[in-house]
Amino acid sequence: MGRKMTRDAEKQREEGERKTREEAKRRERIQGIKDEKEALGTIVIVASLIATITFAAAFAIPGGYDRNQGRDQGMAVLARAAAFKAILIINTIAMVCSVTSVFLCLVALNYAEGEEDHDHFENRGAAALALILVSMFALITATFVVLAHSIALAVFTCIITCTSFIVYFLKLKKVFSS
């Protein structure tokens, strides 16, 4: 009888330890989801700022508008310049990527709560991060094109931007990998 009570007590202890481990894992998953949601919030802010900048850049055209009477009145002065065309294309890429990133983050937040949908959450978060990277590189490239006549300023600006970009990327990578 004493052995049976000892075995029963041992089984109860093992069951209690198993439940404690499962509860700890559950709390860890919940904390991970909170951290990932916070990271998505950061991505939404950055993507929204990039979208705002690119939208404003579409109206603040380099070189301004032609004010002379004629068929080109109101058109961009530099419309035929290769640099202008490059900036326009790069700016459009940055805007589309940043707006799409915001959309993916908002969709991912719908999947954040359910554990069974966590893969969808992570996939959309990773896609949003990748699109932010593309839009940030596009902005760096556009800055370089605008400052091409002052190569020292262009290189210095790109170095500062790339350094902050790397720090930002490493921080987000740490959040998503934990």
Side-chain angles (χ1 to χ4, degrees):
M1 177 132 165
R3 266 190 198 163
K4 186 174 182 182
M5 288 180 67
T6 306
R7 281 188 216 149
D8 289 342
E10 189 173 316
K11 284 181 182 179
Q12 287 178 348
R13 183 181 58 79
E14 288 174 0
E15 183 67 22
E17 288 175 0
R18 185 185 61 76
K19 286 181 180 180
T20 303
R21 283 191 303 269
E22 287 175 1
E23 181 63 25
K25 284 181 183 179
R26 189 183 70 75
R27 274 185 285 196
E28 189 176 301
R29 276 193 309 270
I30 290 171
Q31 184 61 42
I33 289 172
K34 286 180 183 177
D35 291 345
E36 289 172 349
K37 284 173 73 173
E38 202 171 292
L40 277 182
T42 303
I43 292 173
V44 167
I45 291 170
V46 171
S48 298
L49 288 172
I50 292 172
T52 302
I53 291 167
T54 57
F55 185 75
F59 293 102
I61 293 178
Y65 298 97
D66 188 353
R67 295 181 186 165
N68 298 326
Q69 290 289 345
R71 75 180 180 110
D72 287 339
Q73 183 178 8
M75 299 299 290
V77 172
L78 301 175
R80 291 179 179 82
F84 176 79
K85 293 174 184 174
I87 289 170
L88 192 62
I89 291 168
I90 291 167
N91 189 57
T92 303
I93 290 169
M95 184 168 188
V96 168
C97 288
S98 60
V99 169
T100 305
S101 180
V102 170
F103 176 74
L104 284 173
C105 287
L106 295 176
V107 170
L109 288 173
N110 287 332
Y111 291 109
E113 301 302 324
E115 290 182 28
E116 64 278 350
D117 293 331
H118 194 70
D119 286 341
H120 294 294
F121 172 76
E122 286 182 343
N123 291 343
R124 282 163 180 79
L129 181 59
L131 287 171
I132 282 294
L133 299 178
V134 170
S135 64
M136 290 175 83
F137 274 127
L139 287 179
I140 293 168
T141 306
T143 302
F144 192 81
V145 169
V146 169
L147 299 173
H149 295 294
S150 175
I151 196 70
L153 183 59
V155 169
F156 184 70
T157 303
C158 285
I159 289 171
I160 291 171
T161 307
C162 288
T163 303
S164 62
F165 169 74
I166 290 168
V167 169
Y168 175 73
F169 176 74
L170 292 174
K171 181 67 175 171
L172 281 178
K173 185 178 177 188
K174 185 192 303 184
V175 169
F176 277 106
S177 66
S178 62

